[in-house]
Amino acid sequence: MISTVVCGDTASVRNNSLDRSPVRMEPRRNSIPWMKSHLSRSQPESNGCTAVVIPSAMTTTRSDLPSQEDPQIQCPCSHAPALGVLEHTLLESTQETPEPRPNSKVKRFSSRWPSRVSISRHNFAVQATKTERKRRKLLGDDHPVRLTAANQRQRYVTKDGKCRVNLGPIEDKSRFLSDIFTTLVDLKYRWFLLVFTMCYILTWVAFGAIYFLGAWLRGDTAHVHDPHWQACYENVDGFLSALLLSLESQRTIGYGSRMVTAKCPEGVVVLMVQSILGSMIDALMVGCMFVKISRPQQRAQTLVFSKHCVICERDDKLCMLFRIGDLRESHMVDAKIRAKLIRSRQTREGEFIPLEQSEINMGYDTGADRLLLVEPQTVTHVIDRSSPFWEVGAERLKTETFEIIIILEGIVEASGMTCQARTSYTEDEILWGHRFESCISLEKGAFRVDYGAFDKTFQVQMSNLSERDRRNAIEPDLPF
């Protein structure tokens, strides 16, 4: 090992090294990695000098390195350019180092050596895995992370109320056919219209083929223009005319040129069966279409929830608040609000329970869960000892992982059908120490609702402690 003592101010040394070196060097990136790793962590303050220990392995690769006896790099601190010469010489040695032999322990480094902090931030910004995100959240690292769509958190219920749960492979699919009405109503519109159209077309084609077969067997197709022939199916000379007979009979059009006569009883039976089957198809398809159009899920599109949920104080109690509004003038009848907390946990026995549901009290005992949605309502959940947020404060809220599902149920005034609207709030959508702005004003003898301020909040001064810590601070003698 060769010990070298270098002196001088770092900024002046860097400028001198840049002036002396013909090689392009960048600030804070052209330092020697192995030189940084061997710098002493606790340096004694002796006239501004710094002791640098150079490994002996580097001296074997370059024989022209300045020695300790070189007068240009002696300890007097007035010789500040000495460090620039040394750094430039060592940089050239690392760039011109030949390939090491198999037994050589010399490690090559690039002159562009970013710091550990820049590496970690770059990795987090480019690709943040699930493990890294959890570790950063636990450690409280607040560096911004650019997440892609694949790395975003999976919600249990989306903001517009759709449940993000995919059912696995179901072997016994015959259960869906036992409830054919619900199966048809749940179909998407493109598939429902396809089924609606195919039901009529298939029945027309099937009975048209039956009419054509009966006319061909009885010889009606060969005696169309014979006035003395007693036909069973009049004016049926091919499959197309038989298809028109089927269509006119089922839809009760009756142009009068084609008909089923009384000369054959089998034709009358086929006509009766087609009429009954056509009436059943009409009832099923028209009923499904009416229910699908007027289903209460469309009514839920005019029920709005606030984008954020806030936690603030009300009457010296810590409360969680969110807003609900109805955009229509025809109001919901007997509207009720419920809330569920979705959170995975592990029991004391080691069992992992994914997506466990727990009830959040929205005022069931006092009747506060029953709403009159004439104007936007601010729903309140009082955080007490029975609340799942009893021990959650502002700092712990940042590390928690949960989702709150809000469910609004009521009867549509126009149709009398039960409607359900849903939304969800994750821990990132809960604002600690905020309140909602007022969106109701009085003008021209009536109350006016400004939905432009429906989602607006403002920050208030309050403690970051949980409700449990607040109670213990006020009443320390009472056990909780």
Side-chain angles (χ1 to χ4, degrees):
M1 302 293 287
I2 298 177
S3 299
T4 305
V5 180
V6 295
C7 312
D9 182 70
T10 306
S12 61
V13 169
R14 185 181 294 111
N15 295 332
N16 293 331
S17 62
L18 290 174
D19 295 336
R20 295 170 179 266
S21 172
V23 184
R24 182 177 178 270
M25 303 169 63
E26 297 184 2
R28 300 183 61 87
R29 285 194 173 185
N30 57 359
S31 55
I32 310 303
W34 60 262
M35 184 175 177
K36 282 187 176 181
S37 61
H38 288 80
L39 286 175
S40 176
R41 297 184 179 271
S42 58
Q43 301 292 346
E45 298 181 359
S46 58
N47 299 327
C49 297
T50 305
V52 180
V53 182
I54 304 176
S56 58
M58 295 303 298
T59 60
T60 59
T61 59
R62 292 279 296 180
S63 59
D64 55 345
L65 287 178
S67 60
Q68 187 177 3
E69 291 78 15
D70 195 338
Q72 293 184 354
I73 53 174
Q74 295 300 323
C75 185
C77 295
S78 60
H79 295 167
L83 183 57
V85 176
L86 175 61
E87 186 174 353
H88 176 213
T89 308
L90 294 179
L91 181 60
E92 285 185 344
S93 67
T94 55
Q95 292 178 349
E96 299 176 3
T97 302
E99 293 293 335
R101 296 185 297 274
N103 296 330
S104 176
K105 303 208 176 161
V106 179
K107 186 176 181 180
R108 301 184 63 183
F109 295 94
S110 173
S111 60
R112 298 175 59 88
W113 189 263
S115 62
R116 183 179 301 176
V117 178
S118 62
I119 292 177
S120 60
R121 289 183 180 178
H122 178 72
N123 293 337
F124 283 144
V126 175
Q127 184 179 7
T129 61
K130 295 182 179 180
T131 307
E132 290 172 346
R133 293 202 308 273
K134 291 181 180 179
R135 181 178 63 84
R136 290 177 65 255
K137 200 168 186 178
L138 292 175
L139 294 178
D141 190 3
D142 295 333
H143 295 304
V145 180
R146 184 178 60 190
L147 296 177
T148 60
N151 291 327
Q152 292 181 355
R153 175 184 169 182
Q154 179 62 48
R155 304 179 73 103
Y156 187 78
V157 176
T158 59
K159 298 295 289 184
D160 55 354
K162 295 180 181 179
C163 299
R164 292 300 183 184
V165 177
N166 297 328
L167 302 179
I170 301 175
E171 298 179 357
D172 189 9
K173 295 184 178 181
S174 61
R175 296 176 180 269
F176 295 98
L177 298 178
S178 60
D179 189 9
I180 186 64
F181 184 80
T182 306
T183 303
L184 291 176
V185 172
D186 290 341
L187 288 176
K188 296 182 178 180
Y189 270 101
R190 56 179 178 269
W191 298 111
F192 178 78
L193 293 177
L194 178 63
V195 173
F196 183 88
T197 305
M198 293 304 297
C199 284
Y200 286 103
I201 292 178
L202 290 178
T203 53
W204 295 338
V205 172
F207 282 96
I210 294 175
Y211 289 145
F212 174 73
L213 181 62
W216 180 73
L217 292 176
R218 294 183 62 89
D220 294 341
T221 57
H223 300 82
V224 176
H225 301 289
D226 188 358
H228 301 288
W229 180 260
Q230 295 181 354
C232 180
Y233 304 98
E234 286 189 1
N235 296 324
V236 177
D237 56 354
F239 177 75
L240 185 58
S241 59
L243 180 61
L244 290 176
L245 175 61
S246 174
L247 176 60
E248 294 171 6
S249 301
Q250 184 171 340
R251 303 311 304 164
T252 64
I253 297 175
Y255 290 112
S257 61
R258 298 175 184 86
M259 66 183 71
V260 179
T261 64
K263 302 301 181 180
C264 58
E266 63 272 14
V268 177
V269 173
V270 172
L271 182 59
M272 294 173 58
V273 172
Q274 184 181 8
S275 300
I276 295 174
L277 185 60
S279 300
M280 295 175 60
I281 293 175
D282 290 341
L284 180 61
M285 292 292 103
V286 173
C288 290
M289 180 64 74
F290 173 76
V291 173
K292 193 170 185 64
I293 293 175
S294 63
R295 65 191 313 180
Q297 289 183 354
Q298 306 302 326
R299 178 64 175 88
Q301 301 299 323
T302 54
L303 298 172
V304 293
F305 298 86
S306 58
K307 295 181 181 179
H308 294 89
C309 184
V310 301
I311 295 180
C312 62
E313 294 178 348
R314 270 195 173 185
D315 299 329
D316 297 331
K317 296 179 181 178
L318 197 62
C319 301
M320 183 180 67
L321 312 174
F322 59 90
R323 269 182 176 171
I324 299 178
D326 190 358
L327 302 180
R328 290 188 178 273
E329 294 184 358
S330 58
H331 310 297
M332 298 286 295
V333 179
D334 194 20
K336 298 179 182 178
I337 190 71
R338 295 188 296 120
K340 292 283 187 179
L341 179 65
I342 308 298
R343 179 170 53 184
S344 302
R345 71 179 185 92
Q346 188 173 7
T347 62
R348 297 179 180 178
E349 294 78 14
E351 178 187 3
F352 179 73
I353 304 177
L355 303 177
E356 184 184 29
Q357 300 183 10
S358 58
E359 190 74 20
I360 299 178
N361 187 12
M362 306 305 299
Y364 177 79
D365 300 334
T366 60
D369 61 331
R370 298 174 179 87
L371 306 176
L372 179 61
L373 286 180
V374 178
E375 80 283 351
Q377 297 289 324
T378 302
V379 185
T380 305
H381 164 65
V382 180
I383 300 178
D384 51 11
R385 280 177 288 183
S386 61
S387 172
F389 305 103
W390 170 250
E391 300 179 356
V392 177
E395 297 299 328
R396 183 174 173 180
L397 183 62
K398 300 178 182 179
T399 61
E400 289 286 337
T401 303
F402 59 85
E403 187 171 349
I404 301 174
I405 312 299
I406 307 299
I407 305 171
L408 175 65
E409 293 179 347
I411 300 174
V412 181
E413 187 178 21
S415 62
M417 304 178 68
T418 303
C419 173
Q420 185 181 94
R422 297 182 296 266
T423 189
S424 68
Y425 299 100
T426 59
E427 69 279 356
D428 298 331
E429 298 170 346
I430 299 179
L431 304 179
W432 185 278
H434 284 71
R435 288 179 184 170
F436 286 108
E437 291 187 4
S438 178
C439 60
I440 300 177
S441 60
L442 178 63
E443 59 178 24
K444 295 182 181 180
F447 294 98
R448 182 180 182 273
V449 177
D450 182 16
Y451 276 97
F454 182 78
D455 295 318
K456 291 184 179 180
T457 62
F458 62 94
Q459 193 172 4
V460 294
Q461 297 252 349
M462 60 174 291
S463 174
N464 293 333
L465 298 178
S466 63
E467 182 64 15
R468 178 181 179 180
D469 295 338
R470 287 158 49 92
R471 294 290 183 88
N472 290 337
I474 297 174
E475 302 172 356
D477 297 334
L478 295 179
F480 289 98

